Amino acid sequence: MNKRHSSGNSFEKHEKTKFEQFKELVLSDLRIKIVCIFIAFLICVFYQINSFGAETYTVPLDVKSSDVIMVEAGSKVPKVVEVTLTGNRNILSNISSDNLSAHVDISSKVKAGSYDFFVEVVPDERVLQQLHPLQISVKPEKVTLSVEEEMMGYVKVVPTLLGQPAHGYEQVSVAVDPTTVEVHGPRSVIENLESIQTEAVNIDGVSKNVTEENVALSDVNSFVEVSDKSVSVTVDIQSISERKTITGLVVEYDSLDSDYSIVTKAPSMDITIRGKLLDIENLRRNDFSASANCSAVDGEGNFLVPIFVYAPENVQVVSQTLESISVKAIRKNVDVETDISEL
């Protein structure tokens, strides 16, 4: 019994000795240890201060709308906002504006009017994973926008042409497919939107039909969304057909019986021709001939003979001032003066 008691006292003394040793270890040079701890704290704070920094990024501002409401046409929406990130300076140096997005959400509104919308900044996963802690600020924090009802409609597509066809050719018609496109936008814009033009199709110097696929549509404004981004444009190019007058064409006598002579002075006449511009623009009087067919002259006297005009290939004679003439015929070897009345 006494042995057990003595053993218990020894254990308590031993434990007490260990506690005394620990206490003595902690309390010895306590001031120095406190100073060391304070210095370590200051170093930690200094490191944190020096490793932290702030960077400002220019980020495009988007607008999130709904199928019911959208930004009113003419409402000034900031194109960009300034986003400031505060965090580890080393990591911030590897962050760019591509890692950030900013938007205002107007989809919660159901009635037209003017409202204040807070700008929301969304960092990508890389920023969220690497920057701890992270502080985000944005300027401006909110924007005031006027919103109105969204509307859908259909408008015609008007093709735009650039230049002129080659000399001798002309644009006959132009077709676009599709002829209309579906548009979405603010009611105030869609109700007054009559057409959308295409980007220019170049026909300068061409001499045949032109067909271009995937012709882009010109932007109406940033508030209008077009269902079809491109169309097909076909331009019908044809040669120009023109008329031209040839004057002073002298009529020659043709197919006359060798026993007879015509004493009537050969007249001159005008003709009107038609053909492709390139075929007729350089034609002159010498390129044509006119003949009076005297095959019906079978004796002496006056005869009405038809006049025929001969023109180059691809040229049509559409009118002539003389269709026929009256001529006086005599037998050869008869000494007769020229018929003065016919002069």
Side-chain angles (χ1 to χ4, degrees), residues 89-113:
R89 192 185 302 277
N90 294 327
I91 297 177
L92 285 177
S93 63
N94 296 319
I95 301 299
S96 71
S97 58
D98 294 334
N99 301 114
L100 304 168
S101 64
H103 67 267
V104 290
D105 189 351
I106 67 172
S107 60
S108 61
K109 305 302 179 183
V110 295
K111 292 183 178 181

Side-chain angles (χ1 to χ4, degrees), residues 37-272:
I37 293 173
F38 181 71
I39 292 173
F41 173 76
L42 291 178
I43 291 173
C44 181
V45 171
F46 179 77
Y47 173 78
Q48 291 290 336
I49 292 175
N50 282 274
S51 64
F52 263 60
E55 291 288 343
T56 300
Y57 308 88
T58 301
V59 181
L61 180 63
D62 294 326
V63 177
K64 290 187 176 182
S65 59
S66 66
D67 294 335
V68 179
I69 210 77
M70 68 182 307
V71 175
E72 183 180 279
S75 187
K76 294 183 178 180
V77 182
K79 293 184 178 181
V80 296
V81 292
E82 300 295 324
V83 177
T84 300
L85 299 183
T86 303
N88 188 290
R89 192 185 302 277
N90 294 327
I91 297 177
L92 285 177
S93 63
N94 296 319
I95 301 299
S96 71
S97 58
D98 294 334
N99 301 114
L100 304 168
S101 64
H103 67 267
V104 290
D105 189 351
I106 67 172
S107 60
S108 61
K109 305 302 179 183
V110 295
K111 292 183 178 181
S114 182
Y115 303 92
D116 289 333
F117 298 94
F118 284 98
V119 177
E120 299 180 39
V121 178
V122 181
D124 64 10
E125 288 297 324
R126 178 188 175 191
V127 176
L128 293 175
Q129 291 175 1
Q130 295 184 4
L131 282 175
H132 295 285
L134 172 64
Q135 180 180 349
I136 302 174
S137 61
V138 59
K139 289 183 179 181
E141 294 183 349
K142 61 182 179 180
V143 294
T144 302
L145 298 176
S146 296
V147 298
E148 64 176 308
E149 181 184 353
E150 181 177 357
M151 181 181 179
M152 184 272 285
Y154 291 90
V155 297
K156 65 180 180 180
V157 179
V158 177
T160 302
L161 304 181
L162 176 65
Q164 295 294 326
H167 175 66
Y169 294 86
E170 63 182 344
Q171 169 210 327
V172 176
S173 64
V174 56
V176 61
D177 183 34
T179 57
T180 61
V181 291
E182 181 181 308
V183 292
H184 295 261
R187 175 177 289 276
S188 60
V189 174
I190 301 302
E191 286 182 337
N192 295 291
L193 185 61
E194 297 181 352
S195 63
I196 293 181
Q197 291 186 324
T198 68
E199 295 292 333
V201 175
N202 190 359
I203 62 170
D204 196 46
V206 302
S207 57
K208 60 182 179 180
N209 292 347
V210 174
T211 298
E212 284 198 18
E213 305 289 344
N214 301 319
V215 179
L217 298 176
S218 300
D219 291 332
V220 180
N221 60 50
S222 58
F223 299 102
V224 175
E225 180 180 350
V226 184
S227 59
D228 294 288
K229 303 302 180 183
S230 63
V231 296
S232 172
V233 177
T234 299
V235 186
D236 185 12
I237 304 293
Q238 295 184 13
S239 57
I240 297 175
S241 179
E242 283 198 351
R243 295 191 176 203
K244 184 176 183 178
T245 298
I246 305 295
T247 61
L249 185 62
V250 177
V251 179
E252 299 177 354
Y253 296 122
D254 185 29
S255 303
L256 180 63
D257 190 311
S258 59
D259 291 335
Y260 298 96
S261 296
I262 301 298
V263 295
T264 305
K265 182 180 179 180
S268 62
M269 60 183 290
D270 299 338
I271 62 173
T272 300

